[in-house]
Amino acid sequence: MFLAEISGNVNVIGYGIAALGPGIGVGLVFAAYIQATARQPESAGLTRVYMFMGFAVVEALALLGLVLAFAL
């Protein structure tokens, strides 16, 4: 029986797992925008601003995780 040798940095595995959260978050942000626009089309302009703000926050968290994966 042979044992596999793990080489490389474990931080990369941690970032791979941490990237799932922002991926799900982006999906939820855009799903909420589509649902809000479908329910009230006249409010699409107002909710679009909130969609981009939510998208920016989620992506900032993803980039923060990427930086920490390489910094530590």
Side-chain angles (χ1 to χ4, degrees):
M1 180 160 245
F2 297 102
L3 295 175
E5 181 179 334
I6 297 175
S7 64
N9 199 351
V10 182
N11 292 342
V12 176
I13 296 171
Y15 176 68
I17 295 170
L20 293 174
I24 294 170
V26 166
L28 290 175
V29 165
F30 282 103
Y33 171 71
I34 291 170
Q35 186 175 14
T37 304
R39 288 177 183 250
Q40 282 188 317
E42 64 273 3
S43 69
L46 179 64
T47 56
R48 186 177 301 125
V49 174
Y50 293 125
M51 176 193 65
F52 284 125
M53 286 176 28
F55 177 72
V57 168
V58 169
E59 286 298 315
L61 291 175
L63 290 175
L64 183 65
L66 177 66
V67 169
L68 289 177
F70 287 114
L72 298 177

